[in-house]
Amino acid sequence: MSVEHASQRIVDGYARGGTELSADEVWAVEAHLEGCRPCRDRLSHAVGAEVPAVASLVETVWSGLEPHLTVTTARPHGRRWTARWSRWATPAMVPWLAMAVGVSLLALLFDRFGGGFGEVSLVLLCAPVLPVLGVAASWSRGLDPAYELTASAPRAGLSLVLRRTVSVLAVVVPALLAAGWVTGVMVAQWLLPCLAFTAATLALGGAVGVTRAAVALTAVWAAVIMAPTLAARRTAAALETDGLPAWALLLALGVAVVIARRDAYSAPGAHR
């Protein structure tokens, strides 16, 4: 082969099946043909001249396929709707979102009728980690049967991460809003920790994987905030109104890290 194009001998030999060429020559011409349109045209002409039976077979197959390829089949409406929905959520998220809404309802009922933990509001205590569960499910490699397709899609980066996170918040936040309104918990008191925890999960997920980050932060919350709060039967300082500026700062930092590391969510590790 020359520097720029394959020699006519190699092109003709490859057209006849490559039996006359060495293995190195076959490998080299195949690699060259991938990026060289003129040589592909020469190969096409060589096939017609050197192996007319192959050219005739290709022409027969193409003439049979062409009428079918030109017909455009409209997708059913339900399938189009499924394709749009798949950009925002996966079937694996549904049971986790149902569980998050169910936990919100149980926390509301306990706050209204249980009264077993003094001044502690379970709605306030569970709010930060509930959306994290849905985010973890939406990026779980083990739960999503279409993981390989998702990971290899052109839009498998930050755009898809944010879409699925928004879909989780769109389900969980209204449930918490209703629960907070009934129990009298101030909106900012649970909404800021909720958003800050979600942003922190995404920020940490760019380094260790979204699912791993969600599990780690949920475990830290349970050990550092939830268990001591329930044991002391009083609201932790982190959930008092005085702690809102710290949550706002954590939210801003999380968003900044996500934006700064936006390319990290295209890597396979972000789906762990």
Side-chain angles (χ1 to χ4, degrees):
M1 293 180 65
S2 66
V3 176
E4 295 185 355
H5 298 291
S7 68
Q8 193 62 41
R9 177 188 68 83
I10 290 180
V11 171
D12 292 342
Y14 189 75
R16 289 191 292 268
T19 55
E20 304 169 6
L21 305 176
S22 66
D24 291 342
E25 288 177 321
V26 172
W27 177 87
V29 73
E30 288 180 346
H32 178 73
L33 288 171
E34 291 181 2
C36 183
R37 176 63 182 269
C39 285
R40 289 198 300 270
D41 293 337
R42 290 169 56 206
L43 176 63
S44 178
H45 293 306
V47 169
E50 300 288 336
V51 197
V54 173
S56 176
L57 177 61
V58 172
E59 182 65 27
T60 302
V61 173
W62 176 252
S63 62
L65 289 176
E66 188 175 15
H68 301 284
L69 296 176
T70 56
V71 176
T72 302
T73 304
R75 290 189 301 176
H77 177 74
R79 193 169 295 176
R80 290 198 301 268
W81 182 89
T82 302
R84 294 192 196 102
W85 172 250
S86 64
R87 300 173 187 171
W88 293 87
T90 66
M93 295 170 57
V94 176
W96 287 83
L97 291 177
M99 183 189 69
V101 174
V103 171
S104 302
L105 179 60
L106 290 175
L108 168 62
L109 294 176
F110 198 93
D111 283 353
R112 293 288 292 174
F113 306 109
F117 294 102
E119 64 179 44
V120 177
S121 169
L122 288 185
V123 172
L124 181 60
L125 194 59
C126 294
V129 295
L130 288 182
V132 171
L133 299 176
V135 172
S138 69
W139 289 102
S140 173
R141 182 172 186 169
L143 294 177
D144 188 359
Y147 161 76
E148 286 79 8
L149 294 176
T150 300
S152 60
R155 294 187 177 182
L158 182 60
S159 174
L160 192 57
V161 171
L162 295 180
R163 282 174 183 259
R164 293 190 175 181
T165 302
V166 168
S167 67
V168 170
L169 294 175
V171 174
V172 175
V173 168
L176 290 173
L177 184 63
W181 177 75
V182 172
T183 56
V185 178
M186 188 172 65
V187 173
Q189 202 171 352
W190 62 263
L191 183 58
L192 270 178
C194 176
L195 297 178
F197 232 67
T198 303
T201 299
L202 296 181
L204 184 59
V208 301
V210 175
T211 302
R212 291 178 179 177
V215 171
L217 290 178
T218 300
V220 169
W221 180 263
V224 176
I225 301 295
M226 188 173 289
T229 297
L230 295 177
R233 293 177 178 266
R234 62 183 303 273
T235 303
L239 295 175
E240 297 285 0
T241 54
D242 293 341
L244 293 181
W247 288 113
L249 178 61
L250 179 61
L251 173 59
L253 289 175
V255 171
V257 171
V258 169
I259 294 174
R261 291 181 50 82
R262 55 187 176 274
D263 294 336
Y265 300 93
S266 299
H271 300 260
R272 292 176 295 182

